[in-house]
Amino acid sequence: MLVFWKEKLVFLSVPKTGTTAIEEALAPSADMVISNPPELKHAPVYRYNRFFRPMFERACKTDDLELLAVMREPVSWLASWYRYRRRDFMRGHANSTHEVSFEEFVQEYMKGDKKAPYANVGSQAKFLEPRPNGVKVDHLFRYEDQPRLLSFLEDRLAQKIQLERRNSSPEIPLDLPEPTMGKLRKKCAAEFELYENLT
């Protein structure tokens, strides 16, 4: 998470959406950088609303910070998690995907609360869900449209941004059979609807 006080902007870090590279590029000009622990670095809207927003309002007398986040196409997002958990250092861990196919990973992900640890990767829609008090992501960009995101950030922060690829996982060709894809679109309709409604 990055906070830009003068620019009234908070960059929420949705996991597996390329935010590590952006954070490294922008950290020197941010007023606050939350890089650890992961529960705070990747604080979703509900956690921001519960902990960070009240702190900013009480200590800094401001409630006009805008939230920015990036969302990845849902299948691509799951594929990124799958590849990440297949890296060598994950071997032998409960979260490793070395012993399962991508389809098995997705099938397990769709089991809800009963999923295996390796498929417990959360939900982008839940991460980005608006709160009843009106706190929401004001600027939501597609991961796949980096030029639009970078153009917004360069305008808002008045600086040029040069990104280096970070935290990338090995490329593996991944596809899903049509029945599995149809089931995923039905089970995770909120993910697809949110992504497809982004302009």
Side-chain angles (χ1 to χ4, degrees), residues 137-155:
V137 173
D138 302 284
H139 309 282
L140 184 57
F141 294 90
R142 288 184 175 183
Y143 166 85
E144 293 77 9
D145 191 358
Q146 293 287 311
R148 188 163 171 264
L149 168 64
L150 294 179
S151 175
F152 173 86
L153 286 169
E154 287 180 343
D155 286 347

Side-chain angles (χ1 to χ4, degrees), residues 96-135:
S96 170
T97 55
H98 279 93
E99 305 302 321
V100 296
S101 69
F102 180 52
E103 183 186 4
E104 288 170 325
F105 172 80
V106 172
Q107 291 285 3
E108 194 66 30
Y109 176 76
M110 291 188 283
K111 289 184 178 177
D113 293 338
K114 298 177 182 176
K115 63 175 71 76
Y118 67 76
N120 187 15
V121 298
S123 157
Q124 292 183 99
K126 186 71 177 168
F127 186 108
L128 300 164
E129 187 176 47
R131 308 316 300 151
N133 64 354
V135 172

Side-chain angles (χ1 to χ4, degrees), residues 4-106:
F4 301 92
W5 200 254
K6 182 167 63 78
E7 294 82 3
K8 302 294 184 187
L9 188 67
V10 177
F11 194 141
L12 298 181
S13 179
V14 181
K16 311 313 294 171
T17 60
T19 51
T20 299
I22 292 173
E23 287 176 354
E24 284 190 7
L26 297 180
S29 57
D31 296 297
M32 289 182 68
V33 179
I34 313 296
S35 57
N36 266 305
E39 294 80 8
L40 295 183
K41 173 183 178 178
H42 297 295
V45 172
Y46 68 83
R47 194 167 292 141
Y48 170 84
N49 182 56
R50 184 173 179 187
F51 298 108
F52 291 96
R53 181 194 55 77
M55 176 181 68
F56 294 149
E57 287 187 0
R58 289 177 191 143
C60 309
K61 308 292 188 259
T62 187
D63 61 356
D64 59 351
L65 296 175
E66 296 177 3
L67 301 183
L68 176 147
V70 177
M71 182 181 190
R72 192 168 185 160
E73 190 281 324
V75 178
S76 172
W77 185 72
L78 288 172
S80 181
W81 272 113
Y82 175 79
R83 288 193 306 269
Y84 178 77
R85 292 186 166 183
R86 278 184 73 88
R87 297 196 301 182
D88 284 342
F89 78 89
M90 293 295 296
R91 284 189 187 277
H93 291 270
N95 289 346
S96 170
T97 55
H98 279 93
E99 305 302 321
V100 296
S101 69
F102 180 52
E103 183 186 4
E104 288 170 325
F105 172 80
V106 172

